[in-house]
Each structure stands twice: as C-alpha cells, then as structure tokens.
C-alpha cells in the first residue's frame, strides 16, 4: 500500500519548474492563470511569468491570454512588496489611454485618463527584466512623462524605449539627466523612439545641444533611432556626424537635415562603405541639394520617406536617378513646386522593380499640396505597371496628369497584388467596363479617383455600369471620385456604384440574402470560391 504522502508521477512532474511552465503555457484564459497562482509558491511563480510578462494596452496578448492593464499593477500600490513581486516578472510595459475594456460602468473622464498618471505610484519600484517600454501619446501626457518619473524604467535589461506617438500634440519633457542616465544604465538598448514637448519644458527640464550630442556619441549600439518631433532645437551638425557612424543602425527617422550638415561630414572617420552603411529604412526632411548628397550613401535602403525642407522641385527626379534597386517603399511629402516627370516615373520603374508602395504625395488624403505632372500619360503608366509587378499600394495624385481609364486597366492587368489606389485621372467607368474584364483587380479594396471636370463621361446606363463594375473589382469596399465638382451623371454613378458595393459586401458577410439580379450573381460566385 502506497504511503499517503507519496508523490504520484504527475505530482513529481508538476513539481519541476520547466515542465510546469510547459503545462501552464497551454492556458488560454487570464482567470485560469490567476487561479494557478493560488496553488503554491512554485505555481505562483511560473504562472506569473506568463500572465505578467506583458502589462499595458488592451490589444496586448500573451498568446491567447489578455495581458493585465497598468491599473491592475497600480492597484497594488498599498503593498509595495507585492507590487515589486509582480514587477519582477514584467518584460513589456505599454502606457496608453486607460483601458476599460469589458467593464459595464465607465468613469466620466475615461477618455482623458492617460495611464502615464501611474508613474508616480511606481517610484521606488524596479523592473529588473524590463525589455520593452512604450508610451502612446495623449494631449496631457507631458504632465507625467518627465525625467524624474521616467528614470525608474531605465533598466540594464532594456532593449526598446518607444515613446509618445505621432498623432497627438503631447510629448515627453526630458532633460540632459534623462539621456545621461539612459546612456549609463541601458547598455543593451537597441531601439529608441522619442518625441519631445518643448512647449511645457521648465528650467529644471532642459535638454541641451551639447548634452544630446554627447548622448548620441555614446549610443552606437542602436539599431533603430527615431527622433523626429521636438528635436530640431537640439539637433546639430555635430550630433548628425555621430549618428551616421552607427554600424548597427538599420532604421533612422530624423527631423530636417540641412544640406550643410551633409557637406560637413568628415568622411575620413567612416569605414570604406561610408556613412549609414546598413540603413534600410530612412526618413527625414531634406532639400533637393541635401537629397542629392545623401542618397549615394543609402544604396541598401528599402523604405525611403522624404519630407520637403527648403527647395523641393526636383526631388522625385533625384530619387528616380539614384539607382535604388532594393527600394520597396517610397514616400515623398511633396509641395506644389515639385515636378513629377513621366520620364522619371519610367526610370524609377526600370530600376526599382521590387517596389511595393509608392506614395506621391506621402499622405494619400492630401488634396492641396499636390505636385505638378509633366508628360505623365497612359503610355507612361502602362510601362510603369509592366515593371511594378509587386505593387500593393499606389498614390499618384498630381496636377496636370493626362491619365484615363486606360491607366487603371494597365494597373489591373499587371499589378495583381494592388490593394489600394489613389490616382488623379479622368476615368470613364463605362469605358473601363467595356475594355476591361471580370476580376481585373482581384484584391483591390480602396479606390480613390481625383476626377477633373470632363464632358467625356456621359453614362448611358449608370445602374448597369455600376453593377458590371463589381465584376472588375470583386473586393472593392468603396469608390471615392474625390473631385471638388462632379457632373450630375458622375454623382449618380458614384451613388449607384457604392450602393452596389454595399449590397454585395453585406451579402458576402452573410448580413442579407443573395441578390436576384443577374448582373450581380457572377461577382457573388467569384467571391464565394
């Protein structure tokens, strides 16, 4: 007879931390892991490693388990030992607008509650295994994201410090002390993304040009550096000269770079490859002259985003002539003076055949600051489409382009991966339907056509054209003709097309019965395959 206190094989198995961790890893509910933490000290430790690995924003998951939110951690503030015990297991922290997911009663000010307000509660707490911390910006985050409250997160284990977003006007109020502490404590840091709020800086929170240059000189292990907004006042030629020497840097996002800074680079301190030898993603504000000087150093770039800074007339010509054969993503935030020539589009298409995203202007929703087109015709678009076989997203919004539905047909026949298209063209959809074919754009779901006023778009049957359009665009979510003024027929066609798209999509999602219309059935059959 076995002794009553003898361990079974299962008991012995679950007493081994490595095997217990494997078993608990199959738990898919946070409540189940929380229950496991109440079994004994070993189970508490192994379950906490999984449940508390990430803490923050509501979209963070560990496998299928929803991560705790910041206020769950802050709720332990009255028990500092227990708070520290949980903090020991956190690898990822994400501060956001406070998450009240799944709660029936919301605080009246829930939209203004930034989780950064809990920084002061964590003063004195260490996060010994913290690897990644991220701050999503709100308009009031400068009240909390300050040097004195952020130093506690600068741990030796930290690899990624991302901060403060790009969509809100808020940012961090940081000083020389913060960057000096980061340099000394975070020797393993690889990713740094920051946005400053200088409007609310005080005398005690001052970041100097000298202090920031010293920091950049000592952070040569970085692989990603993004310091776009709020850093113009501290970026100098000296600081720029330090960061372009980083041998491990692959992603670089900077504010405006004056042309003289590039001319001032001491090329004798660089290895044979020159500055920025391994950068594949680059974003900055440049003039024509600065772009021409810097592009020869970006031979390996795959993602290039350039903002206009100063004269920006020939920027596209300079990029097209740079022989950037590895380019996959090109975005130019142009100005009205910028010229886009048909010959340059062809040159780019012949050299950058791997291109998947082309945005001119960089913001597809831009309607005012559009570049001027010269000799951009259907023939140019036909050659462009024949080379850009991997194209997934296209934005070519220009003043003076001579494009028609023939350009769309060329894109459809060649660019089978195209999912979104923003283009300035005089598109007569009745002609497109007549000359095109079913399933012309098999995956396109966004179509924005900036239409000029035109007498050639005289629809004979608006309803029939709209329904046949579904066959050419089986995945389209909506049609936007985007003109300041449209003829009555254009407006009628737009309404009919979007009504047909809406009905088709509701059927496809099972929200209503299949239409009886014979014109719509072929499209529905295509979608159901």
């Amino acid at each position: 007879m076995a002794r009553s206190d003898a361990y079974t094989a299962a008991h012995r198995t679950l007493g081994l931390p490595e095997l217990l961790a494997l078993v608990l890893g199959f738990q898919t509910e946070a409540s189940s892991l929380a229950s496991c933490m109440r079994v004994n000290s070993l189970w508490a430790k192994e379950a906490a490693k999984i449940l508390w690995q990430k803490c923050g924003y509501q979209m963070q998951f560990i496998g299928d388990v929803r991560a705790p939110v910041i206020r769950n951690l802050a709720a332990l503030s009255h028990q500092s030992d227990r708070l520290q015990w949980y903090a020991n297991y956190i690898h990822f922290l994400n501060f956001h607008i406070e998450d009240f997911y799944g709660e029936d009663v919301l605080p009246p000010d829930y939209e203004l509650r930034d989780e950064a307000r809990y920084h002061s509660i964590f003063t004195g707490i260490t996060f010994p295994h913290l690897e990644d911390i991220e701050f999503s910006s709100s308009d009031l985050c400068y009240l909390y994201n300050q040097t004195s409250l952020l130093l506690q997160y600068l741990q030796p284990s930290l690899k990624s410090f991302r901060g403060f977003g790009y969509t809100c006007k808020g940012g961090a109020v940081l000083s020389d002390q913060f960057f000096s502490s980061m340099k000394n404590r975070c020797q393993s840091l690889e990713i740094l993304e920051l946005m400053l709020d200088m409007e609310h800086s005080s005398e005690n929170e001052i970041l100097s040009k000298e202090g920031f240059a010293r920091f950049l000189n000592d952070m040569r292990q970085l692989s990603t550096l993004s310091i776009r907004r709020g850093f113009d006042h501290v970026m100098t030629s000296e600081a720029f000269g330090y960061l372009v020497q980083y041998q491990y840097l692959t992603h670089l996002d900077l504010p405006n770079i004056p042309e003289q800074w590039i001319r001032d680079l001491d090329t004798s301190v660089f290895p044979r490859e020159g500055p920025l030898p391994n950068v594949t993603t680059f974003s900055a504000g440049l003039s024509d002259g600065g772009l021409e000087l810097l592009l020869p150093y970006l031979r390996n770039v795959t993602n290039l985003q350039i903002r206009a800074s100063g004269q920006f007339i020939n920027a596209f010509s300079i990029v097209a002539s740079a022989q950037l054969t590895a380019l996959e993503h090109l975005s130019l935030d142009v100005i009205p003076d910028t010229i886009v020539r048909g010959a340059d589009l062809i040159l780019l298409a012949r050299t950058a055949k791997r291109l998947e995203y082309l945005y001119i202007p960089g913001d597809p929703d831009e309607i005012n600051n559009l570049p001027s087109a010269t000799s951009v015709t259907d023939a140019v678009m036909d050659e462009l489409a024949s080379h850009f076989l991997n194209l997934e997203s296209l934005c070519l919004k220009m003043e003076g382009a001579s494009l028609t539905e023939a350009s769309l047909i060329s894109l459809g026949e060649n660019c089978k991966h195209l999912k979104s298209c923003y283009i300035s063209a005089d598109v007569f959809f009745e002609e497109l339907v007549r000359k095109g074919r079913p399933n012309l754009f098999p995956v396109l779901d966004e179509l924005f056509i900036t239409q000029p006023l035109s007498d050639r778009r005289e629809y004979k049957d608006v309803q029939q054209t709209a329904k046949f359009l579904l066959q050419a665009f089986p995945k389209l979510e909506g049609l936007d003709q985007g003109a300041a003024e449209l003829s009555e027929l254009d407006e009628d066609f737009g309404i009919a097309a979007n009504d047909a798209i809406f009905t088709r999509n509701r059927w496809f999602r099972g929200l209503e019965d299949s239409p009886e219309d014979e014109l719509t059935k072929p499209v529905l059959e295509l979608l159901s395959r």
Side-chain angles (χ1 to χ4, degrees), residues 177-236:
Q177 181 191 3
F178 174 83
F179 288 99
S180 177
S181 298
M182 177 175 278
K183 175 191 68 175
N184 294 328
R185 299 181 189 179
C186 305
Q187 299 297 315
S188 299
L189 192 69
E190 299 174 3
I191 299 172
L192 178 60
E193 299 178 358
L194 284 177
M195 184 171 71
L196 292 183
D197 186 329
M198 297 308 301
E199 180 182 350
H200 298 96
S201 297
S202 66
E203 293 182 1
N204 297 323
E205 298 277 2
I206 296 177
L207 176 60
S208 67
K209 294 179 180 179
E210 297 77 15
F212 191 58
R214 285 195 302 270
F215 170 76
L216 291 179
N217 189 33
D218 291 322
M219 296 299 289
R220 302 190 179 214
Q221 79 277 10
L222 290 177
S223 63
T224 296
L225 177 62
S226 177
I227 49 172
R228 182 189 301 182
R229 206 172 89 187
F231 283 86
D232 295 88
H233 74 293
V234 293
M235 273 297 294
T236 61

Side-chain angles (χ1 to χ4, degrees), residues 390-410:
N390 298 318
L391 199 64
E392 294 184 16
S393 190
L394 174 67
C395 175
L396 280 178
K397 297 171 69 174
M398 303 166 286
E399 300 287 353
S402 302
L403 304 180
T404 68
E405 61 277 351
S407 291
L408 273 185
I409 293 174
S410 295

Side-chain angles (χ1 to χ4, degrees), residues 218-335:
D218 291 322
M219 296 299 289
R220 302 190 179 214
Q221 79 277 10
L222 290 177
S223 63
T224 296
L225 177 62
S226 177
I227 49 172
R228 182 189 301 182
R229 206 172 89 187
F231 283 86
D232 295 88
H233 74 293
V234 293
M235 273 297 294
T236 61
S237 176
E238 180 185 13
F240 179 69
Y242 289 141
L243 65 88
V244 296
Q245 298 179 48
Y246 292 3
Q247 294 297 300
Y248 304 104
L249 196 64
T250 58
H251 293 67
L252 181 59
D253 185 0
L254 296 176
N256 296 336
I257 303 174
E259 181 179 335
Q260 191 59 46
W261 290 4
I262 306 171
R263 296 188 183 279
D264 289 343
L265 291 177
D266 183 0
T267 55
S268 65
V269 304
F270 298 112
R272 183 177 59 184
E273 298 86 355
L276 305 172
N278 297 306
V279 168
T280 56
T281 296
F282 181 84
S283 175
L286 288 164
S287 64
D288 283 347
L291 191 59
E292 196 162 16
L293 289 169
L294 198 59
L295 280 185
Y297 299 124
L298 297 172
R299 291 297 182 188
N300 298 319
V301 71
T302 59
N303 187 328
L304 183 63
Q305 301 179 55
I306 303 298
R307 303 180 299 277
S309 176
Q311 181 172 294
F312 209 65
I313 297 174
N314 298 308
F316 181 68
S317 296
I318 294 167
V319 173
S321 304
Q323 303 290 315
L324 301 176
T325 56
L327 200 61
E328 298 175 1
H329 185 140
L330 174 61
S331 173
L332 289 181
D333 284 339
V334 295
I335 57 177

Side-chain angles (χ1 to χ4, degrees), residues 444-487:
L444 190 79
D445 56 23
E446 292 184 358
L447 182 59
F448 187 108
I449 307 291
T450 304
Q451 297 266 47
L453 285 173
S454 173
D455 295 331
R456 65 183 290 266
R457 299 193 297 271
E458 292 292 334
Y459 290 94
K460 297 177 181 178
D461 191 329
V462 165
Q463 297 295 331
Q464 186 181 44
T465 301
K467 290 176 180 178
F468 273 119
L469 190 70
L470 299 184
Q471 298 184 36
F473 299 84
K475 296 292 180 69
L476 196 62
E477 293 288 335
L479 170 66
D480 191 332
Q481 298 183 85
E485 296 182 35
L486 287 173
S487 69

Side-chain angles (χ1 to χ4, degrees), residues 24-25 27 29-38 47-48 50-51 65:
L24 295 180
Q27 295 296 321
E29 296 291 336
S31 58
S32 299
L33 286 169
S35 297
C36 291
M37 290 176 62
R38 301 188 184 100
I50 300 172
L51 183 58
V65 179

